[in-house]
Structure formats: structure tokens, C-alpha cells
Amino acid sequence: MLKRLKKIVAGISALVIMATATACGSDTKWAVQYDDYEARAGIFLFYQMSAYYDAISIITEEDSEFDTTDTKALKSATVEDTPIVEWIQNDTTEKVKIYLEVLKEFDELGLSLTEDELSTIDTITDTYWEYYSEYYTTNGIGEESFRDINTYSYKRDAVFNYYYAEGGVEEVDEQELKDYYEENNARVKYICLNSTDSDGNFLDTEMETMAEDFVTRANNGEDFDTLIDEYEQYKEDLSAEQEAEAEAEAEAESETESADGTIESTSANSSNSTDDTTIGDSSSESEEVSTDTETEEEEDPYPNEYVVTKSEDETSGSPTYKVNQEIFGHSNYGDAFLVEEDSAYYVVVRYDIWERDDLWTDDTKATILSTLYSDKFDEKMLDAVDDDLVTLNDKAYKRYNPLDMEF
């Protein structure tokens, strides 16, 4: 009788534990509710992951030697004078509020996505989920949440454009976009003259003289593309010369060894072998094919040209940070100038970017508009949130510790 009673009690206890566990899981299926909108746990975790990376970025910017793999140090770290976990949760909450406000306004404004956009969302989701599913699912983010995030990005663009794009209620003047584009982008052509050859031999004086000559000739009216071709030919000739010297040295060494009775010279056999080949015929056929291909291909109206973006980071910049700064400090379009680097000389010409109509596209405008107004849009969405309608799920916040994520 006593054994039976113990079994019954144990059974009841097990049921209670299972019910409690199920309730806990159910209680944390969502993290934030706003009016009729809800951010499920997967959405919350996605933005928590983003907030985590933001926190790490701030920490390492302040202390480049901080070991982000040191769990103990990370737990005691602060971000902007706030404990890291608290900072991440606060930032996650802001990101989720923006997410929910965008969804709300998208519906209230009567906006919709096109069939092409919906199809693109499916393609993006399916493609990226195939590669990153393990990474996301390990951290509690399911495919449905991943799809919702991708859908949200398009809805966000729609609401953003409602306010700031052409015809929007707060339309941004196109001239503002053009001013930013001109200030942060440049059309250039350049020649990079390395101070050493492929064998590491120092050519500083020779390259400096050549670079200065190119600057003078370019500013005297010579076609810069011709100068580029000239330098390319110089490099090819120099390389061929070095190869020939290396072959001659190897042959001389081989003949010396042969004379010593070490090995037999194979130079004669090599010559006969070359005479028996049909390289000439093959070359002719190759040239004909190449000519036909070049005829079929459309000629580039802007050969050797690059559009470089202004760099604010000393560790980056195209083609180098120093050259990049010189480019944007040079406003005499069409004039060649010289920039000396530690291991190279750069001969550069900057051109007027507005001479190319093909660069000022709708995509370019959209990118600049987003760069200039994305933060302002986030602030607008946050200001629009009615906090009286926001409910934070404390159980979800306690359960999902950002430092428990696996990266």
C-alpha cells in the first residue's frame, strides 16, 4: 500500500514538473508586445545578437586589447558606463520597439509589398538559411523568425520611403544627396609604381624619376591611359628580362655541372624540341579568336577608372589611406599629382564625377538617402511608440542572457 502511494505521489510530482516546464517555455515564446503586434522570442534573440555585436564593437574601440573570449572579463565589462548585459538588453528593447512600430505603421499607412519583393524575400531566406541555419537555431532563432526579419527589411524600406523618398511627406532635397555623393566619392585613374621589383630589388630612384615623368607628361596633355599602358609594358619587359636572366644563370650552372661530369646538358635537346612544336600555328589561331572576341565585346568608355569612397579609417582606404586622403584633398580635376608611399609611388588623376551620368542612379540615391537618414528614421519610430501599449516579458528577458549565446 505504501509503495503504491509513493508511486502515485511520484507520478503527480512528475506531471507537475512537466506542466511547469511547458508553461515556462510557453511564457517565453514572446518577448515584447506592442498594441496588436508581437515580437516572438526568435525576433528578440535576433536583435539581441545584433546588440551584442554593437556592445563588443564599442568595447574594442575603447580597448583594442580587450579579450572578448574571456567570459569572466566580459561579464564584468561596461558599455557606456552601463553593465554589459543591461546595455545589451536595453539596446535590444529599442531595436524591437522600432521593429514593431514599423510593422504597425506599414499596416496603418496601407502599404504593401510587390510580388517581386515577396519572391525575393523567399529566395533570400531559402538561400541564407541553407548556410546559416545551424548558427541561428543554436541561438534559438528559427526559420520563421529569420523570414520575418527579411520581410521586415522590405517593410522598413517602404515606411522609410513614405517619409523621405521622392514624393514623401518629408521628401529630402536631391541636392542634399548630390552634395554628400560628391563629398564622399571620387572618379580617379592612377598608376602604382612599386619601389621594388618581383625579386625585392630596390628601385626607388628609378621609380621616382618615372613617376615624376608621368606626372609631367600627363599635365602636358598626354593621354593618361597611354601612360598606364606604357607602365604595364615596362613591368612586362622587366619581368621578362628577369626571367631571361634567371634562365641564363640556370643554363650556365647546368653547363658547368655537365663539364664537371655531373649531369648531361639538355640545351640541344631543348632547342630541337622547341623547333618541332607548332606554337606558331597555335598562336595564330589564338590571336584570331581573341580578335573576334574583342570585336564582340562592348568597349569600356571609361577604361582604367575607379570610383573610390572617402575613408575615415586609417586602417583602410582605396587604394591606400594616404592616397585616399590626397585624392579628396585635390580638387583640380584632370591634373595629375604624385603621392609617395613607403613602398610605391602613385600617379593620380581625379576627374569630375558629374561628367558620368551613369553613376547617378536610383540605387545610388537610395543608398545615400539611407546613409543620411537611417538614424533619424529610427529616432522617429522610437518617438512614435506609445510606451503605454508596450509589454515586456520579464521571464523572456531573464531567460535569454546575451552572454549565453554561442558564436
Side-chain angles (χ1 to χ4, degrees), residues 381-394:
M381 293 297 100
L382 275 176
D383 290 342
V385 172
D386 183 350
D387 286 326
D388 292 336
L389 301 177
V390 176
T391 302
L392 305 183
N393 186 345
D394 290 336

Side-chain angles (χ1 to χ4, degrees), residues 191-372:
I191 305 172
C192 174
L193 298 87
N194 293 316
S195 300
T196 57
D197 61 20
S198 58
D199 294 328
N201 298 315
F202 199 58
L203 303 172
D204 185 63
T205 302
E206 182 181 353
M207 289 300 99
E208 182 179 15
T209 301
M210 184 181 293
E212 290 173 345
D213 179 57
F214 282 156
V215 171
T216 300
R217 290 163 61 187
N219 288 332
N220 284 337
E222 279 197 53
D223 181 59
F224 200 73
D225 292 321
T226 301
L227 299 180
I228 292 174
D229 292 341
E230 181 179 322
Y231 180 64
E232 290 301 317
Q233 186 61 54
Y234 165 83
K235 289 195 297 183
E236 290 180 15
D237 293 344
L238 182 62
S239 178
E241 181 181 331
Q242 290 173 338
E243 288 180 8
E245 290 177 355
E247 289 177 2
E249 290 177 3
E251 186 174 340
E253 183 179 344
S254 175
E255 289 176 350
T256 300
E257 291 175 345
S258 177
D260 292 340
T262 306
I263 60 172
E264 294 183 3
S265 173
T266 59
S267 58
N269 292 334
S270 298
S271 299
N272 291 336
S273 175
T274 302
D275 290 341
D276 291 339
T277 60
T278 56
I279 290 177
D281 295 337
S282 299
S283 177
S284 299
E285 292 177 8
S286 177
E287 288 177 3
E288 289 181 11
V289 173
S290 175
T291 302
D292 292 341
T293 304
E294 289 174 0
T295 303
E296 293 174 3
E297 291 180 357
E298 186 176 347
E299 185 178 352
D300 183 2
Y302 305 103
N304 304 310
E305 185 172 299
Y306 301 89
V307 176
V308 298
T309 303
K310 188 176 184 179
S311 176
E312 304 294 343
D313 184 356
E314 293 185 8
T315 62
S316 64
S318 178
T320 70
Y321 178 75
K322 182 178 179 179
V323 177
N324 186 276
Q325 296 305 295
E326 291 287 344
I327 288 171
F328 285 94
H330 195 89
S331 57
N332 295 327
Y333 298 135
D335 286 354
F337 58 96
L338 180 63
V339 183
E340 182 179 353
E341 277 283 20
D342 293 337
S343 59
Y345 292 92
Y346 284 83
V347 180
V348 188
V349 179
R350 182 179 182 181
Y351 301 93
D352 184 356
I353 203 163
W354 298 116
E355 290 178 351
R356 285 189 58 174
D357 295 334
D358 61 307
L359 295 176
W360 190 242
T361 64
D362 289 340
D363 286 343
T364 302
K365 296 177 190 177
T367 299
I368 296 172
L369 185 61
S370 177
T371 300
L372 292 175

Side-chain angles (χ1 to χ4, degrees), residues 38-62:
E38 180 179 279
R40 71 171 71 88
I43 300 296
F44 177 82
L45 289 167
F46 180 89
Y47 285 112
Q48 189 183 67
M49 187 180 294
S50 175
Y52 172 89
Y53 282 124
D54 289 343
I56 294 300
S57 177
I58 293 172
I59 291 173
T60 52
E61 279 181 11
E62 295 177 352

Side-chain angles (χ1 to χ4, degrees), residues 166-178:
E166 184 177 354
V169 294
E170 298 177 27
E171 178 180 354
V172 176
D173 185 10
E174 185 175 0
Q175 188 58 49
E176 181 180 352
L177 306 182
K178 286 185 173 182

